[in-house]
Amino acid sequence: GFSMSIYDVTSQSIYLRWPKFSGASSYRVRATAVNTVGHSLLAHFSDVTLKGTLTSLIPNTIYAIQAEAIDKNGIILAETQIMQSTAPDIPVIDQAYSKLSNSITVEWRAVPGATSYLLTAQDGDSFIETVVTNSPGTVTGLKPATLYRITVRSINSGGRSQPSPVRKAKTVLAAPILSVSSPTCDSIAVSWKPVYMAAGYSVSLVRSDGLGRMLKENTTNTSLVFINLDPGTLYTIKAYAWNVNGIPGDDFTYNQRTSPNAPADVQVAFNSGASRAIVSWMPTEGALTYSVTASSGRLKLQCNTSSASCMVPSLQCSSEYDVSVTAYNDAGSSKPTKAVSLKTIPCAPVNISIEEDEPGYLLVSWSSVNFGRYYVVFVKSDDGLEMHCNTSHTQCHFQSDCGFTYFISVFAYNKAGQSPLGDVFNYTTAPCCPSNLRAVVVSSDTVQVTWAPVRGAELYETRAVCWSSDVRCNGTATACTLSALRCNTRYNITVYSFSEARSSNRSCATEYVATAPCSPEIKNISKEALSVVSVHWQSNNEEATYIVTARGEAGLWHCTSSGNSCTLINLPCGSAFSVSAIARSPAGQSLPSYSVPFETAPCCPRDLILTQVTQSVTNISWSVGMGARTYETTLESSKGQAKCHTLQNYCLLGCITCGTNYTVSLKAISETGLTSSCTYQGYSSSACCPSGVKLYRLGNNGIRVYWRASGEMINFNTDLHGSKGNFTCTPSSGLSHCDITEIPCGDVYTVVVSPVTDKGPKLTFCPKKIYS
């Protein structure tokens, strides 16, 4: 629990401290040199002293240090030991001097065992320290022209020595800070602020490329001017101050180029843009950039470049500019060159007017332009043909044609070139008259007019004029249909051409056209016979031929007359017709009259079939009759009548008497009530079925059938139908019974007795009997 620590070390001393140990009345410390024989040091300390110093030690030596805590009886209570080296010996400064205003260099003899050195420069209460590895060493960060106290300490792993004896040294003067300019192309001006403690200054100047001689000036002032220098040349300037003892301070170096000479051989030319000029010159020594200025009154245009040419943009037409060039480098600018006069291209002519001073000729005129020596007018038609006129006057004549658009531009010229393109004007001459006019009568109130297109026409107007009517049609197409004309009337037809630019051409030819006859009006249709009708109308044109048409699903029927009626024959039954009439004359054909509906009586059905369903009911069916909507059938005899009215093509008639002859008739009725009466071959109803049918067994395999016949002499058939076979028996004429033998036993039979008919199948509706 007893320990010891080192808190400082010098070349000949070691400073110790330890904590108080309980029961100790004194402490004993012994230092023994490890590598040196017979050198040790013993020191005693009271119990109130907890730190001590070992002195008179050997520099740069490792010591084994032992501390003991002793009670009042001289007994050692505790002990501890550590190893510690002393610092190297104290250095001795040989010399200290300043070469730069912010540093002092120190030289000393090397100290054995030192691994580094601590240099200290002290100015009053402030000091700056620097650690170096060997001599010489330099302390930096100092103030110019200031006296410092310099010391050196040696350092090893054990610590550092006491400071060396003080050596005084003063820093040299600071360098003057130069402000340099080139007021002219052959001079450089140098100035600076006064340097602290300076007695004078030295400034030298030489070309940076090493050519020529050096110029050097000593002065106590703070400015100098070097003259007769080369323009645009880079010079190196060096300056320093010295003190009263003539010791120079830091120097300051600055590179400065003289400003350039003005460029020579300035040339001005227009480029293809005509609103821009290219200015060129001979390069001048030392110039980095050039500036071109073009002045015209208060207007100034500039362009900057590093080459020997520059393009000045946005020159105004019909103007005169003074052009000069100035060279620049980092020192400044040259004088501007002597101004070169530049006259720009003329402006585009204005106040351009175009007129047809006489038919077929255009006159183009304009106002004169400043700096314009002559003018060229270009006239290009819309078909690609181009004409031009070269004149020193302000007008030109050109030949023109109808229906063309001419594009006109006027240019002014001088030595600088052609004026910019001004407004391009267009002039459209009046359109040509339509050609190949053709008028075709379409109907009694309509005429279709066509013509060939013509140049310049954007719109056409077609006019049809008679003594009391004027009909017009406007459109862009080369065809027009004039409607709402009066039938059977003579019109004067003219087509005029229009254009938006030049209105119309009113000198176009006229064609005469007569419209077709008026439509006839049907007054009456009368039926002359079954398939013949007469049509009557009101005639309104003596030159016209009238054609009447009956149109229906069955086809077309025609009749023709120059009067006011005609007859249609062979019209089919059961057909609906639409009857109309037209008038036809050399002028054309009228529109059809209003159609009048007409209907023929329905057709009688071709086929009629009667079938006995029961003894008292007969089914009648027939084919469809053209035009019939409903049918009425009738069976009539002396014993009575059966009738049926239906929408279908079949009917069941009841209350029929068997064995009776009937008269058959049918009416076909149209939707509008027209009726056709149809008569067919007579009909005989079937014979009457027997009554009182009875069955008797004849042994195990036979049966006798009895019946009661009606009054007529009729033969009968007896039919047996069973699962084991079918059997038939026909008795002799006049008998009312029949025997059927050799039939299988043990079966159920259906027995029917029916009259024998001369034609057709057996009757199936007579009563049936069951026999088992």
Side-chain angles (χ1 to χ4, degrees):
F2 184 58
S3 63
M4 179 175 53
S5 62
I6 310 281
Y7 66 89
D8 195 10
V9 176
T10 64
S11 301
Q12 296 179 338
S13 303
I14 295 177
Y15 298 86
L16 309 169
R17 62 166 57 124
W18 54 87
K20 183 176 179 61
F21 194 81
S22 177
S25 62
S26 64
Y27 301 92
R28 182 170 57 208
V29 179
R30 183 187 302 274
T32 304
V34 174
N35 297 323
T36 303
V37 179
H39 183 77
S40 63
L41 179 68
L42 181 63
H44 291 270
F45 302 95
S46 67
D47 61 340
V48 296
T49 303
L50 299 179
K51 62 182 179 178
T53 303
L54 301 178
T55 59
S56 301
L57 301 180
I58 302 172
N60 192 36
T61 301
I62 298 175
Y63 283 89
I65 304 172
Q66 182 176 2
E68 298 172 340
I70 304 171
D71 65 7
K72 60 182 180 179
N73 297 319
I75 299 173
I76 299 174
L77 302 177
E79 63 181 0
T80 184
Q81 180 176 316
I82 60 175
M83 305 295 289
Q84 176 64 43
S85 173
T86 55
D89 208 352
I90 300 172
V92 176
I93 297 174
D94 292 334
Q95 62 174 336
Y97 53 87
S98 173
K99 290 185 177 181
L100 297 175
S101 62
N102 67 339
S103 67
I104 293 175
T105 300
V106 184
E107 296 181 2
W108 65 91
R109 290 185 294 276
V111 175
T115 58
S116 60
Y117 300 89
L118 177 64
L119 305 184
T120 302
Q122 186 172 3
D123 170 28
D125 293 334
S126 65
F127 59 89
I128 295 177
E129 294 181 335
T130 300
V131 176
V132 297
T133 57
N134 50 37
S135 176
T138 301
V139 183
T140 60
L142 307 182
K143 294 182 291 186
T146 302
L147 183 64
Y148 285 91
R149 294 163 56 88
I150 307 300
T151 59
V152 181
R153 297 186 183 196
S154 60
I155 302 173
N156 66 5
S157 60
R160 58 187 179 180
S161 69
Q162 288 87 353
S164 67
V166 173
R167 178 65 66 93
K168 293 182 179 180
K170 191 173 187 179
T171 53
V172 298
L173 301 181
I177 305 302
L178 302 182
S179 295
V180 186
S181 64
S182 176
T184 62
C185 63
D186 63 348
S187 66
I188 290 178
V190 185
S191 62
W192 58 90
K193 291 182 179 181
V195 177
Y196 175 65
M197 299 296 291
Y201 305 93
S202 178
V203 182
S204 62
L205 178 143
V206 67
R207 284 179 60 127
S208 297
D209 56 11
L211 300 177
R213 63 186 183 86
M214 176 186 291
L215 302 178
K216 187 173 184 180
E217 295 285 344
N218 291 330
T219 181
T220 58
N221 296 326
T222 57
S223 64
L224 279 175
V225 177
F226 294 92
I227 60 174
N228 297 325
L229 304 180
D230 297 327
T233 302
L234 184 65
Y235 285 88
T236 299
I237 303 156
K238 183 178 291 187
Y240 62 87
W242 68 79
N243 60 16
V244 292
N245 298 322
I247 298 174
D250 292 347
D251 57 25
F252 183 89
T253 301
Y254 191 89
N255 290 328
Q256 175 67 42
R257 190 182 299 274
T258 51
S259 56
N261 248 338
D265 193 20
V266 177
Q267 302 289 331
V268 182
F270 279 99
N271 76 332
S272 59
S275 64
R276 298 173 290 180
I278 297 177
V279 183
S280 60
W281 54 89
M282 291 294 294
T284 186
E285 180 70 27
L288 299 178
T289 59
Y290 301 90
S291 178
V292 178
T293 302
S295 303
S296 177
R298 294 184 178 181
L299 178 63
K300 285 189 177 183
L301 301 175
Q302 281 190 322
C303 73
N304 300 315
T305 181
S306 58
S307 62
S309 66
C310 193
M311 183 178 292
V312 180
S314 304
L315 296 174
Q316 293 184 348
C317 57
S318 294
S319 300
E320 185 172 5
Y321 288 87
D322 291 329
V323 180
S324 61
V325 184
T326 304
Y328 290 86
N329 62 14
D330 50 6
S333 63
S334 69
K335 293 182 179 179
T337 61
K338 184 178 179 181
V340 177
S341 178
L342 169 65
K343 290 184 179 179
T344 62
I345 58 173
C347 294
V350 294
N351 299 326
I352 298 174
S353 64
I354 306 163
E355 57 182 330
E356 291 185 77
D357 54 348
E358 58 181 283
Y361 287 93
L362 296 179
L363 173 63
V364 183
S365 58
W366 59 91
S367 298
S368 61
V369 179
N370 289 338
F371 301 129
R373 295 185 61 189
Y374 64 95
Y375 305 91
V376 177
V377 183
F378 294 92
V379 176
K380 186 174 183 178
S381 61
D382 51 10
D383 64 352
L385 183 64
E386 187 172 70
M387 302 172 285
H388 72 276
C389 163
N390 191 329
T391 180
S392 58
H393 301 291
T394 57
Q395 64 179 22
C396 273
H397 284 86
F398 294 91
Q399 188 173 358
S400 62
D401 292 319
C402 66
F404 276 85
T405 297
Y406 295 93
F407 300 92
I408 300 166
S409 54
V410 184
F411 293 91
Y413 291 82
N414 61 14
K415 289 184 178 180
Q418 174 186 290
S419 69
L421 175 64
D423 293 334
V424 177
F425 292 84
N426 63 69
Y427 185 88
T428 303
T429 55
C432 302
C433 281
S435 60
N436 299 329
L437 182 66
R438 183 169 177 265
V440 177
V441 177
V442 177
S443 66
S444 57
D445 64 350
T446 303
V447 174
Q448 189 175 57
V449 185
T450 59
W451 57 92
V454 292
R455 287 198 62 88
E458 298 173 355
L459 181 72
Y460 299 95
E461 180 183 76
T462 306
R463 296 183 63 183
V465 180
C466 70
W467 62 274
S468 62
S469 175
D470 185 355
V471 179
R472 303 189 183 197
C473 168
N474 295 328
T476 58
T478 57
C480 184
T481 300
L482 296 167
S483 57
L485 303 180
R486 296 189 180 189
C487 55
N488 198 30
T489 305
R490 182 180 176 86
Y491 283 91
N492 299 332
I493 297 180
T494 310
V495 180
Y496 301 98
S497 55
F498 285 80
S499 72
E500 186 177 352
R502 286 291 168 271
S503 186
S504 67
N505 193 333
R506 290 290 180 180
S507 60
C508 301
T510 298
E511 184 168 324
Y512 298 94
V513 174
T515 58
C518 299
S519 298
E521 181 183 357
I522 297 176
K523 293 296 185 179
N524 183 36
I525 299 177
S526 59
K527 185 176 182 181
E528 302 295 331
L530 183 63
S531 60
V532 178
V533 295
S534 293
V535 182
H536 304 267
W537 60 85
Q538 180 178 344
S539 176
N540 52 20
N541 192 322
E542 294 179 357
E543 298 180 357
T545 298
Y546 295 89
I547 301 172
V548 177
T549 300
R551 186 185 308 271
E553 292 182 358
L556 297 175
W557 278 260
H558 303 282
C559 67
T560 303
S561 172
S562 58
N564 58 2
S565 67
C566 71
T567 302
L568 294 168
I569 61 176
N570 297 325
L571 296 177
C573 62
S575 298
F577 296 94
S578 178
V579 181
S580 63
I582 60 171
R584 186 177 290 167
S585 74
Q589 180 175 295
S590 72
L591 293 173
S593 68
Y594 295 121
S595 295
V596 176
F598 176 75
E599 181 182 359
T600 58
C603 298
C604 288
R606 292 179 178 274
D607 302 315
L608 186 139
I609 300 173
L610 288 89
T611 303
Q612 191 95 23
V613 179
T614 67
Q615 189 166 289
S616 61
V617 176
T618 298
N619 180 55
I620 304 178
S621 61
W622 54 90
S623 60
V624 175
M626 180 68 71
R629 177 67 182 274
T630 62
Y631 302 91
E632 186 178 290
T633 58
T634 303
L635 294 181
E636 191 167 3
S637 72
S638 58
K639 297 180 180 180
Q641 184 186 64
K643 183 181 289 187
C644 171
H645 194 180
T646 179
L647 288 167
Q648 312 300 329
N649 61 337
Y650 60 88
C651 189
L652 288 176
L653 292 176
C655 302
I656 301 299
T657 304
C658 56
T660 304
N661 292 327
Y662 285 93
T663 301
V664 181
S665 64
L666 180 145
K667 289 183 179 179
I669 306 168
S670 72
E671 192 172 359
T672 59
L674 293 177
T675 302
S676 292
S677 297
C678 311
T679 303
Y680 297 90
Q681 184 178 355
Y683 166 71
S684 296
S685 60
S686 64
C688 297
C689 291
S691 60
V693 177
K694 295 181 179 180
L695 307 176
Y696 297 95
R697 184 174 59 193
L698 298 176
N700 289 330
N701 57 352
I703 186 174
R704 174 172 284 185
V705 182
Y706 283 95
W707 60 87
R708 185 171 56 251
S710 57
E712 298 90 351
M713 295 299 292
I714 300 175
N715 294 328
F716 293 90
N717 279 339
T718 301
D719 293 307
L720 273 76
H721 301 286
S723 61
K724 296 180 179 182
N726 297 324
F727 304 91
T728 301
C729 173
T730 303
S732 300
S733 177
L735 295 180
S736 59
H737 70 274
C738 187
D739 293 337
I740 302 172
T741 60
E742 297 181 357
I743 61 175
C745 60
D747 198 0
V748 177
Y749 292 92
T750 300
V751 182
V752 178
V753 181
S754 57
V756 178
T757 59
D758 295 335
K759 55 184 178 179
K762 293 180 181 180
L763 299 180
T764 60
F765 50 76
C766 289
K768 298 178 176 63
K769 292 286 186 175
I770 301 300
Y771 176 73
S772 177

